[in-house]
Each structure stands twice: as C-alpha cells, then as structure tokens.
Amino acid sequence: MAGARAEDEIAAFEKEIKQFWANFKSIYGSEQVNQIVALRDSCKESIKALTEKCSQKLKEEDLMIDKIKEYNDEILQQNKLISENEENLTEIKSNINHEEEQIKSLMDSIQEIKEELMKKKEIIASKNQATKERVEQLCRSKALFEEHLGLEIRRIHDEQLQFIFRHIDHKDPEKPYTFTLFINEQGDYEVTSCSPPLDCIAEFQKKVRETNNFSAFIANIRKAFTELSYK
C-alpha cells in the first residue's frame, strides 16, 4: 500500500515537471529562443569585430610607437650631429679669431716695417744729399788742389773718387801716387785703395772722420807720399 502510494507521488512529480517544461516552453517559445541565439551570435560577431578592430588598432599603435621610437632615434642622432657641428663651429670660430689676431699682428708688424723703412729712406736720402754735397764740394776744390798740390781728382765707378798726386818724386815728377776714397753708408770717409801703400793711411782716415778737415787729410797724405819717395 505504501509502495503504491510512493509510485503515485513519483508519477505526480514527473507530471509536474513535464507540465513545468511545457509551461516554460509556452512562455519562452522557440522564436524568442531563436532571437536570443541570434542576439548571442550577433554579440559574438560584434565582439569578434571589436576584437579584430582593437587588434588592428593595437597593431597600428605598435607601428606608431615604432615610428615614434624611430623618430626619437633620428632626433637624437640629429641632436648629436648638431652638437658635433656646434663644437666644430666653436672650434672654427676660435681658429678664425686666432687667425684674425695673427693677421692684425702681422698688419701691425707690416705697418711698423713700413714706418721704419720710411725713416730709413729719409735717413738715406739725407745721407745721400750730404754725400752729394760733399762730393760737389770736393769737385769744387779740385782746381785748388791741382794748382797747389799737383793733384788730379777723377770720379770713377760706384761714386768713388780717385786722387792722383804728381810732382812727388823729384826723380820722376810724372809718377802717380794715388788713393781711392768714397763716403760710406754711415756718411764717413773711407779709403778703399792706396798706391803705393801707406802705413799711416788708417790713422789719417780716423782723424778726418773725427775732425772733418778734408784739406788737412789731403795734405797729410801728400806729405806721407813725399816722405816715402825719399826712402
């Protein structure tokens, strides 16, 4: 009796279950289930499309990051080149400044040399004028020396004067006794030759430089030649 009752209760429970599923299907019919499935599939497609889009976006961003990195590397390289060029420019500017200072120093030296040359030219011109005046004075004295001392004066090469004495040797009055004279760069009298040689010619030269007494110089040389002729 009890077993039969249990079987009846189980059967009744199964009937209720079947009725529940029948009611569920009636409430949520196959069309709505299909809509849910379609919505699910649509969501899947949207999610897939969005995933692909995001993946593509990530790839593009990765490419952009690589590009940015490449640009950064290029900018760093350019900055390095700019820094090197700035250093080179600094060195070039320094070299230019140094060369400008050297040029200025050279120009100053050239100017000093020019001024020194001008002074030397003025001094030389002045000495040349003094020399010319002395030579002219000697030439004007030529007649006097020839008349009183038997002396002939000749102008020879390199602005030198040759003095020729005669009437020295009583045995041979026409025998020449000579010496050659010129005025050097310092404006001093300088004897370049003497024939026959006189031991005292250097002393006479020194004295005429000190006194500037040329007549006495000529007279002393003639006297020395005369004394020599008697030896």
Side-chain angles (χ1 to χ4, degrees), residues 3 7 21 25-26 32 53 67-68 98 106 114 116 118-119 121 129 143 150-151 157 160 176 188 205 222:
E7 290 178 358
W21 281 110
K25 287 181 179 180
S26 65
Q32 189 171 2
K53 188 175 181 180
K67 275 288 185 185
I68 291 172
H98 181 65
L106 181 60
K114 283 183 178 180
E116 186 176 350
M118 288 299 295
K119 290 179 181 179
K121 283 183 179 180
Q129 181 63 29
L151 173 64
H157 57 84
Q160 296 188 74
D188 296 326
Q205 176 179 277
R222 179 178 174 80

Side-chain angles (χ1 to χ4, degrees), residues 119-152:
K119 290 179 181 179
K120 286 184 177 180
K121 283 183 179 180
E122 292 175 358
I123 293 172
I124 290 172
S126 176
K127 287 183 177 180
N128 287 342
Q129 181 63 29
T131 300
K132 183 178 179 182
E133 291 175 356
R134 285 189 179 183
V135 171
E136 289 176 353
Q137 182 181 2
L138 291 175
C139 290
R140 285 194 298 269
S141 303
K142 178 181 177 181
L144 179 64
F145 288 137
E146 287 180 349
E147 179 181 354
H148 295 282
L149 300 175
L151 173 64
E152 178 184 356

